[in-house]
Amino acid sequence: MNLNLYLIADYLTAFSFQTRFVDDLSASPLTSLRLFDPEQPLCPSRLYLAAAADLPALIIADEPCSIICIGTPPDAYLKSNLNLLVLDSEVSLTRVFNAVEEIFLRFNQWEAQLQTVFYTKKSIKALCDASLDVFINPISVYTSDLKLICYAEREKPDQLMLFNTADNEQYLSIDEINALKIDTDFIHTINTRAPEIFPKDIFGYRILIHNLHLQNVYVARICISETDRPIKNSDFLLIQTLAFYSELCLRDHGDQPYNHHPKDFDSLLTELLSHREVDARALEKYLNYYHWNQSDAFCCCQLPISSYEKSTLTANALAFQLSTHISGSCVSQYDNAIVLIINLTQSGKTRNQHLANLAYFIRDGIIKAGVSNEFNGFAKLSAYYQQAKIAYEVGSLYDETLWCYRYEYYALPFLIARSSAGYDPEVLCASGLLRLREYDQKRGRNYCEVLKVYLENNMNIAKTIRILFLQRATFLYQLKRITEIAHLNLSDYPTRLHLLLSFQILEQQNRC
């Protein structure tokens, strides 16, 4: 295994010394230890051991080289392209040589152990277990979407353990996910290739991380949690070695699933949501897996996956948290959205109760949801998914500050927008209302508003005059003038319906 002088310095604990580094923490140039020979040119892959008295006054190093010097080296060395570790002049050269050789031997043995683990078990968990004596701190591996693949931790009292067996194959909590999504340090680490320290602000301890890639795609990360000992400079190099063998193991793993659905269930949901026919027997089998019946009552939610969700890779984690936290539910992903299907019959809760529970995940405006009406019959899912999608699309235009858009609140605006698209309002609106609007504009009156309030309150005079702050006689006079100007028969239901729809069309097109 290649080392660097940072690692040598961390493990040369029997000596006191001073250091000067020019290499990066993650550089790994050193393959072996050599006694310094002034007749031989320096090689960047060798670590040289020398007494200060044996060093020439000047030294030339085109590339960074590394020297352990017993005694103070000439001044030129402190300004040259060298990594230096300077020990007291009284130290035995033989003792130092043997101590450094032991460090090389120790980490060559560790790498050999990692190689053996890879070739025999091909398990990232086994790699972490084999590395625990090197890092001391807990080691964990998470998928890019924040699911724990495995961990390794020294035995301690339960209250001091960072992980337990129940954490395996689990995502981070929703609180942790939401905190990470808006954390600039976390977002920065998503695209890093070198080891980095994640600050302690969120978890209460620092974490040394290294991302794992397959075919240049970030798929997982190794985390060394600073809970048992301080993170050392050498850990930056060591985590790179562990990452190398972990990536080899990942090549033998299938895609990490984001849910625990039976095989092919997500494909069947995609077919159903795409308005394509599905095998009734296959659908029945999957419903039986959840102990659901075709005739149960359901509702459907659509939670679009934003570009921000995609960039922070947290959509799968959110989907998993939803499925475990919302009783009687299953979650899939379709058309760049999380689809949450809730069985109201099985859960024993109402739609309103589930939406109140859903608010826990949607708070702070990080995620928004469109919600369908309640329906009976799972085979109708595609139609009610469309309701949820419409609710989100229309609701986010009308009320962008809300987190939850219920279809019943936006069905009429959607219908009006679809039916009036491409038409001038004057083509669709009641002619009497257009005459009344023109009269208001010329005479400075508000007869359109009076008529609208009167119709919206089912022609209840008491409610209308209370809303408009009008006397009864004044209102009755205005109502008489309205019917005269607009030539309206308000006792006719189709006329009233046409007028109410006309008001909606004009409002949507900002024409009233």
Side-chain angles (χ1 to χ4, degrees):
M1 174 180 168
N2 290 11
L3 308 184
N4 61 25
L5 203 57
Y6 293 100
L7 186 145
I8 300 297
D10 280 345
Y11 286 87
L12 204 61
T13 54
F15 305 89
S16 59
F17 47 80
Q18 295 179 327
T19 56
R20 175 181 179 271
F21 300 109
V22 295
D23 276 335
D24 293 331
L25 281 172
S26 54
S28 55
L30 305 179
T31 60
S32 60
L33 176 65
R34 292 288 187 271
L35 292 176
F36 179 78
D37 181 354
E39 301 298 324
Q40 297 293 324
L42 294 179
C43 176
S45 64
R46 309 291 190 218
L47 172 59
Y48 296 95
L49 176 60
D54 297 331
L55 294 174
L58 296 175
I59 193 166
I60 298 175
D62 295 330
E63 299 179 69
C65 294
S66 301
I67 297 178
I68 297 177
C69 181
I70 299 176
T72 304
D75 290 342
Y77 284 67
L78 303 177
K79 302 175 184 179
S80 62
N81 199 17
L82 293 173
N83 299 290
L84 289 174
L85 191 154
V86 181
L87 294 93
D88 185 82
S89 58
E90 301 300 320
V91 174
S92 161
L93 186 145
T94 301
R95 185 175 167 223
V96 175
F97 187 96
N98 290 339
V100 175
E101 273 286 280
E102 285 296 321
I103 295 171
F104 271 97
L105 177 61
R106 173 181 178 177
F107 288 101
N108 283 333
Q109 289 175 339
W110 174 57
E111 184 175 36
Q113 189 178 5
L114 297 182
Q115 291 174 350
T116 300
V117 167
F118 169 68
Y119 287 117
T120 57
K121 299 182 179 180
K122 296 189 177 180
S123 160
I124 296 180
K125 164 66 174 169
L127 292 175
C128 292
D129 288 338
S131 305
L132 199 52
D133 287 341
V134 170
F135 292 102
I136 306 301
N137 284 314
I139 307 167
S140 53
V141 182
Y142 287 85
T143 60
S144 58
D145 52 10
L146 307 177
K147 182 171 75 173
L148 182 65
I149 296 176
C150 63
Y151 71 89
E153 185 174 6
R154 296 189 305 163
E155 288 295 327
K156 303 187 287 288
D158 289 345
Q159 66 273 19
L160 298 179
M161 295 291 286
L162 193 60
F163 298 98
N164 60 63
T165 53
D167 295 327
N168 266 329
E169 295 297 312
Q170 298 296 312
Y171 286 89
L172 294 183
S173 72
I174 191 66
D175 289 331
E176 292 168 326
I177 293 167
N178 282 341
L180 289 173
K181 281 168 54 176
I182 58 175
D183 185 84
T184 54
D185 291 307
F186 171 74
I187 295 169
H188 165 73
T189 64
I190 290 174
N191 296 313
T192 57
R193 291 278 184 165
E196 292 219 8
I197 291 284
F198 185 69
K200 64 179 181 180
D201 301 354
I202 292 179
F203 297 102
Y205 49 85
R206 298 193 308 162
I207 304 172
L208 176 64
I209 65 168
H210 194 299
N211 292 338
L212 306 178
H213 295 80
L214 290 181
Q215 297 180 342
N216 291 319
V217 176
Y218 163 46
V219 294
R221 71 173 33 167
I222 298 173
C223 302
I224 310 295
S225 302
E226 191 180 44
T227 58
D228 291 9
R229 69 153 171 84
I231 291 173
K232 298 180 179 181
N233 287 334
S234 53
D235 291 337
F236 284 75
L237 172 60
L238 297 174
I239 198 174
Q240 285 189 145
T241 302
L242 178 57
F244 173 78
Y245 289 99
S246 297
E247 286 181 346
L248 293 179
C249 283
L250 281 175
R251 293 176 190 173
D252 296 328
H253 287 194
D255 294 336
Q256 289 289 334
Y258 68 86
N259 57 43
H260 299 293
H261 294 171
K263 184 180 179 183
D264 298 328
F265 181 60
D266 290 285
S267 298
L268 182 140
L269 284 178
T270 296
E271 294 292 307
L272 194 58
L273 293 170
S274 302
H275 306 283
R276 291 193 282 266
E277 288 189 14
V278 299
D279 187 312
R281 288 178 297 180
L283 181 59
E284 190 71 30
K285 180 183 71 172
Y286 292 126
L287 291 178
N288 289 338
Y289 175 86
Y290 287 101
H291 306 292
W292 291 2
N293 295 313
Q294 277 270 20
S295 59
D296 286 347
F298 299 91
C299 74
C300 177
C301 302
Q302 187 218 36
L303 296 87
I305 301 170
S306 66
S307 57
Y308 187 80
E309 286 283 346
K310 292 177 183 177
S311 69
T312 56
L313 305 171
T314 52
N316 284 355
L318 174 65
F320 178 83
Q321 292 293 345
L322 283 168
S323 66
T324 56
H325 191 79
I326 306 296
S327 59
S329 71
C330 76
V331 177
S332 188
Q333 290 186 31
Y334 171 75
D335 194 23
N336 289 320
I338 295 170
V339 181
L340 171 66
I341 306 163
I342 304 174
N343 188 317
L344 302 174
T345 302
Q346 188 189 73
S347 69
K349 294 181 180 179
T350 66
R351 175 171 172 261
N352 284 343
Q353 288 173 321
H354 279 296
L355 293 183
N357 196 16
L358 188 62
Y360 173 63
F361 295 90
I362 314 297
R363 68 186 188 279
D364 300 327
I366 295 175
I367 302 164
K368 296 187 177 186
V371 184
S372 78
N373 290 333
E374 180 178 331
F375 63 98
N376 289 89
F378 192 83
K380 302 176 184 176
L381 177 63
S382 61
Y384 286 87
Y385 172 75
Q386 288 298 316
Q387 280 194 353
K389 186 176 180 180
I390 289 167
Y392 174 82
E393 290 174 349
V394 179
S396 57
L397 291 176
Y398 278 78
D399 304 298
E400 62 180 14
T401 60
L402 298 182
W403 63 267
C404 179
Y405 305 109
R406 304 179 187 217
Y407 177 73
E408 60 267 30
Y409 297 158
Y410 302 101
L412 182 59
F414 172 73
L415 289 172
I416 291 172
R418 287 292 296 268
S419 62
S420 62
Y423 291 96
D424 189 282
E426 296 201 11
V427 175
L428 303 173
C429 291
S431 58
L433 178 59
L434 297 177
R435 284 193 295 271
L436 191 65
R437 184 182 60 164
E438 185 178 357
Y439 183 89
D440 281 352
Q441 291 170 348
K442 287 181 178 179
R443 304 295 180 90
R445 304 307 295 265
N446 68 333
Y447 286 163
C448 284
E449 180 187 0
V450 172
L451 177 60
K452 182 172 181 287
V453 173
Y454 181 54
L455 292 174
E456 287 178 343
N457 287 277
N458 296 315
M459 297 195 297
N460 185 303
I461 294 174
K463 287 183 179 180
T464 303
I465 62 177
R466 186 165 60 247
I467 293 170
L468 294 173
F469 299 102
L470 292 175
Q471 292 183 350
R472 182 181 179 86
T474 302
F475 169 72
L476 291 175
Y477 170 77
Q478 291 186 359
L479 183 60
K480 181 175 180 294
R481 290 292 296 137
I482 287 168
T483 56
E484 291 173 349
I485 295 165
H487 309 301
L488 295 173
N489 177 13
L490 295 182
S491 63
D492 180 57
Y493 172 75
T495 297
R496 297 197 305 273
L497 178 60
H498 193 189
L499 285 168
L500 285 168
L501 291 173
S502 298
F503 277 118
Q504 291 282 335
I505 291 170
L506 291 171
E507 285 183 357
Q508 281 202 11
Q509 300 193 17
N510 298 315
R511 299 290 293 271
C512 185

